[in-house]
Amino acid sequence: MGERRSAREFLALLTDDFTELPAPRGEQDPDGPLGWPGYGAARARAADRTGEEESVVCGTGHVEGVRAVLLAFEFGFLGGSLGRRTGDRLEAAYAYARAHRLPVVPLVATGGSRMQEGMLALTQLQRVARQSVLTRRAGLPQVAVVRDPATGGGWATLGAGADVVLALPGAQVGFAGSRVRPPDADPAAYTAEAQVAAGSADAVVPEEELRPTLGRWLRLLTAPSGDPAPVPAPLGARDLPADGWDAVRRARAAGRPRAGAYLDAYFGERVALSGDRCGGTDPEGMLCGFGTHAGRTVAYAAQTGTATRPAGYRTATRLIHLADRLGIPVLTLVDTPGAAGDAAAEGQAVGPAIADLFDAVASVRTPVSTLVIGEGGSGGALALAAPGATWATPDSYFSVIAPELAAAILKRPPAQVRLTADQLRLRPQDLAELDVIRTDEQVFPGTGDRHSEGRM
């Protein structure tokens, strides 16, 4: 990290019209609630040095055209620590955001709770957590920017508790501060980059890219829409497969368009949501985020053609719940031979991860639309599919089990795998006849639109 910016210097990086909110007033003993010797003098020195009265500056400003409530920590004021007055300011700022329907942007640079105020300082984390919950229930997004350092309870509430977490390169980020870690701890584990790799933050963003990146997130997350997301047009084959094995062969073809191609064609711009907030990521198996399509925001969760890992399912669940709270429709793209079935996946609770995704798709109020673009392998694919709102491209299949595995279970010789594929009725046209998928001329040529009335 380079030279640490003050709270107001950092605010100036993001907005040109910052307006500070009035600070709540209250009486405070010179040496605080514990009568800590010298605490009042330390606060006075911090105020002289920084020009601030507290460790957080709260106000409003436009970030790339979106007005937001910004909560900027001043690390130079007693290490950006949280005390009762800090809690007063944060509570008032969150209340202002809800009253004016504004997103909240914590700019976190803190060493934790203020020890000179003891447990009364620590309990400010409960106040902050409650305000975050109330703001979440109000359907307002919270996008945190973690600076250097972001440790202790400030990281564990305002930072990690946000809907989206952006971090500055090389920032020290972790629950344990530098002076309370085990002496043999690897410093690299307490960095922004490590938190992204562990699924606890979404992206590392350089300072010069922060304003446009944050603005993009705010624009996308503050644009609710009640209409379902239309499914993309097929990018590959347009004719239907001749038999079951032909469908399997097409779906497994190396040159078939994958999720990245569909997302590029569908979205004008998009940002990626990364990590399951449980210590894992699945960047090779599941792509999640928000983008613009036909002028409105659509959330997406897309399998990439590989076996989906538990972290991928949990990231998709996180994405769907966030879209639901914000009133944003969801598009899912199904393409996986199935869920990862190795020992590591079982140790990472792949079953509960799939169960949670089934629950999310079944319970959210926001509309979910699904397009099967390749392999639809058993429950690992079905968990991402919307009941009654799933379409399939001509170069895809959906099956209760892969035909090779079905033949093995039935003790059939390899020569009968093709026959087994036919018997599973896994072709798109078979699925349409079984009412498993919906059809229309755009996605599924030559079938009419007998399942899609009222969709658009």
Side-chain angles (χ1 to χ4, degrees), residues 353-389:
I354 293 173
D356 286 345
L357 182 54
F358 269 119
D359 288 350
V361 173
S363 63
V364 293
R365 295 164 297 176
T366 199
V368 181
S369 307
T370 300
L371 181 64
V372 185
I373 63 170
E375 293 194 80
S378 193
L382 187 67
L384 200 61

Side-chain angles (χ1 to χ4, degrees), residues 4 34 44 90 100 117 123 142 157 177 181 201 229 317 339 346 441:
R4 184 179 290 121
L34 306 185
L90 292 171
H100 294 82
E117 295 188 22
T123 56
Q142 300 171 69
T157 51
R181 298 171 193 157
T317 299
E346 293 296 341
E441 286 289 344

Side-chain angles (χ1 to χ4, degrees), residues 35-429:
W36 190 283
Y39 177 43
R43 285 179 54 88
R45 289 193 299 271
D48 289 341
R49 183 169 56 251
T50 64
E52 306 295 347
E53 296 181 355
E54 248 305 332
S55 59
V56 67
V57 179
C58 303
T60 65
H62 288 84
V63 182
E64 298 285 284
V66 181
R67 188 166 179 249
V69 169
L70 301 133
L71 318 174
F73 277 77
E74 176 51 71
F75 190 77
F77 193 103
L78 301 181
S81 57
L82 284 84
R84 282 197 305 180
R85 289 285 185 86
T86 325
D88 292 342
R89 291 188 174 206
L90 292 171
E91 185 175 62
Y94 272 103
Y96 185 93
R98 292 193 298 274
H100 294 82
R101 305 293 303 165
L102 299 176
V104 178
V105 180
L107 308 172
V108 185
T110 174
S113 299
R114 197 167 297 169
M115 61 184 178
Q116 296 94 332
E117 295 188 22
M119 279 301 298
L120 290 177
L122 190 63
T123 56
Q124 300 311 303
L125 302 178
Q126 294 172 320
R127 292 178 73 185
V128 170
R130 174 172 171 73
Q131 292 305 312
S132 179
V133 167
L134 292 174
T135 303
R136 190 175 297 120
R137 288 178 181 172
L140 299 170
Q142 300 171 69
V143 182
V145 177
V146 289
R147 299 151 58 202
D148 183 51
T151 60
W155 157 240
T157 51
L158 291 148
D163 298 316
V164 177
V165 181
L166 309 177
L168 295 183
Q172 179 188 174
V173 183
F175 186 68
S178 59
R179 298 185 182 181
V180 296
R181 298 171 193 157
D184 59 346
D186 180 5
Y190 303 85
T191 62
E193 290 76 7
Q195 296 296 342
V196 171
S200 297
D202 292 287
V204 172
V205 183
E207 277 192 357
E208 62 272 18
E209 299 175 16
L210 190 55
R211 185 186 286 210
T213 301
L214 178 59
R216 190 175 304 118
W217 272 109
L218 293 175
R219 284 197 309 276
L220 290 169
L221 298 185
T222 55
S225 171
D227 295 328
V231 294
L235 298 179
R238 298 291 292 181
D239 60 316
L240 294 171
D243 56 31
W245 188 246
D246 185 33
V248 174
R249 179 185 58 79
R250 289 181 177 206
R252 294 176 179 173
R256 174 183 55 78
R258 306 286 166 146
Y262 275 92
L263 296 176
D264 286 343
Y266 189 83
F267 289 109
E269 65 172 348
R270 69 181 195 266
V271 290
L273 197 78
S274 175
D276 63 1
R277 298 300 186 260
C278 298
T281 62
D282 185 17
E284 303 303 319
M286 184 76 77
L287 305 177
C288 294
F290 294 82
T292 54
H293 175 77
R296 63 194 184 103
T297 301
V298 173
Y300 65 86
Q303 291 169 318
T304 64
T306 65
T308 308
R309 304 207 62 80
Y313 291 114
R314 283 191 284 264
T315 304
T317 299
R318 175 189 163 212
L319 178 282
I320 290 170
H321 281 308
L322 176 56
D324 186 45
R325 285 195 278 106
L326 300 179
I328 295 171
V330 180
L331 170 69
T332 65
L333 302 180
V334 169
D335 186 8
T336 180
D342 52 51
E346 293 296 341
Q348 295 159 8
V350 64
I354 293 173
D356 286 345
L357 182 54
F358 269 119
D359 288 350
V361 173
S363 63
V364 293
R365 295 164 297 176
T366 199
V368 181
S369 307
T370 300
L371 181 64
V372 185
I373 63 170
E375 293 194 80
S378 193
L382 187 67
L384 200 61
T390 293
W391 286 258
T393 65
D395 49 2
S396 70
Y397 77 85
F398 218 149
S399 178
V400 64
I401 191 172
E404 298 94 334
L405 297 179
I409 291 172
L410 296 171
K411 298 183 179 180
R412 293 178 173 179
Q416 293 191 19
V417 168
R418 183 164 187 156
L419 170 65
T420 305
D422 278 338
Q423 292 177 325
L424 286 168
R425 299 202 66 191
L426 48 71
R427 299 177 303 167
Q429 58 265 47

